[in-house]
Amino acid sequence: MRQFPPRRIVCLTEETVETLYLLGEQDRIVGVSGYAVRPPQVRREKPRVSAFISADIPKILALEPDLALAFSDLQADIVADLVRAGVDIHVFNQRDIAGILSMIRTVGALVGAAERADQLAASYEMRLAGIASIARPAAKPKVYFEEWDDPLISGIGWVSELIEIAGGEDILPRLRFQQAAKDRIILPDVVRAAAPDVILASWCGKKVVPDKIRKRPGWNEIPAVRNDRIIEIKSTLILQPGPAALTDGLDAIVTALWPA
């Protein structure tokens, strides 16, 4: 018999884990993604059952979940296996700030905490508006966000939006509408021609090596390189389409663009 609200939830991505903790519904979580690190106690409290595009299906089924939460077509194979095994699944596909806020509200509705989820999302909306309204001391710095280094991949939708909220100007704003990483692949000369003032890099879980960026042919002419403004932002903060991006991720961008 299906339960409402579900009592045993497997979260295949970290943003739903953090959302459930923030809503005070963490006791429903019985399994998490191996990438889940927020809040810190999740790593000792919850069994890890998946990577991002692979999962231990027998381990998940042994937990007897009555709901699994997944993200995007990249987890389609995991989802298919769980559907065939009879597990109820909700797959999110948020790629911008509006989608993140909708995800938070939907997770709340799924666990019977719609009012708390709406309050949480509304608090983020107010926070974003407040940061966007801050008067900055200089012209908007031009910003290049690098999500991967080989090939070069620019930032996804919510990252581009957060750069603007932080008071920067994304040098590749049109690419924010491209959901797939392969559609955001760019040539090094595109960045060189745009001459960003700041380079933000988050290599999707791999440590950023600023010296590799500096040594790209012709990049010594880029203001961000010349002025040593190449800044890493941890992928757990900015590449997770959930609360982390709207809080610590945005704060990291603000600090990078407007150092004290």
Side-chain angles (χ1 to χ4, degrees):
M1 181 180 294
R2 302 302 190 198
Q3 298 288 330
F4 182 82
R7 295 181 299 180
R8 302 182 63 79
I9 301 175
V10 166
C11 296
L12 299 174
T13 57
E14 56 269 37
E15 62 272 4
T16 52
V17 173
E18 184 176 12
T19 298
L20 285 167
Y21 267 89
L22 288 167
L23 294 175
E25 299 291 340
Q26 65 269 20
D27 288 348
R28 300 182 188 278
I29 302 173
V30 295
V32 299
S33 160
Y35 292 104
V37 296
R38 294 171 62 95
Q41 63 264 35
V42 69
R43 295 186 71 82
R44 63 177 183 271
E45 290 180 351
K46 306 297 179 180
R48 295 187 284 271
V49 298
S50 69
F52 188 62
I53 59 173
S54 63
D56 187 332
I57 300 299
K59 188 173 184 179
I60 291 174
L61 297 180
L63 294 170
E64 300 182 339
D66 45 24
L67 178 66
L69 300 176
F71 172 73
S72 89
D73 59 301
L74 295 174
Q75 295 193 320
D77 290 342
I78 304 172
V79 168
D81 287 342
L82 292 176
V83 168
R84 282 191 283 265
V87 178
D88 283 355
I89 299 183
H90 187 100
V91 182
F92 292 98
N93 205 22
Q94 69 273 21
R95 308 297 179 116
D96 55 21
I97 290 175
I100 293 172
L101 296 169
S102 177
M103 178 275 294
I104 292 168
R105 290 183 166 105
T106 301
V107 168
L110 287 170
V111 299
E115 185 175 349
R116 271 177 285 144
D118 186 60
Q119 291 171 351
L120 180 62
S123 73
Y124 291 144
E125 289 169 333
M126 291 180 61
R127 185 177 196 276
L128 296 174
I131 291 173
S133 69
I134 294 173
R136 301 298 177 183
K140 292 182 178 181
K142 294 190 295 181
V143 182
Y144 165 56
F145 186 95
E146 187 168 286
E147 189 176 303
W148 193 246
D149 64 321
D150 186 19
L152 302 190
I153 298 176
S154 68
I156 199 167
W158 70 83
V159 174
S160 178
E161 291 178 292
L162 290 173
I163 287 169
E164 292 183 353
I165 288 170
E169 177 187 343
D170 181 3
I171 64 166
L172 300 166
R174 293 185 181 180
L175 290 183
R176 75 169 60 166
F177 302 108
Q178 302 299 324
Q179 295 190 7
K182 65 180 177 62
D183 295 325
R184 288 180 277 112
I185 293 174
I186 57 172
L187 295 173
D189 284 353
V190 171
V191 181
R192 188 172 63 178
D197 301 298
V198 182
I199 294 174
L200 303 178
S202 185
W203 290 351
C204 207
K206 180 175 72 173
K207 184 173 177 57
V208 171
V209 182
D211 206 42
K212 286 187 176 181
I213 296 175
R214 293 188 193 99
K215 290 180 178 178
R216 291 172 186 165
W219 280 41
N220 60 313
E221 305 165 5
I222 295 175
V225 176
R226 199 167 58 237
N227 298 319
D228 197 26
R229 297 193 69 186
I230 303 171
I231 299 123
E232 178 179 15
I233 297 180
K234 292 185 182 299
S235 57
T236 52
L237 301 184
I238 196 63
L239 296 184
Q240 178 229 92
L246 306 184
T247 54
D248 294 351
L250 175 56
D251 290 348
I253 295 175
V254 171
T255 299
L257 301 192
W258 307 105

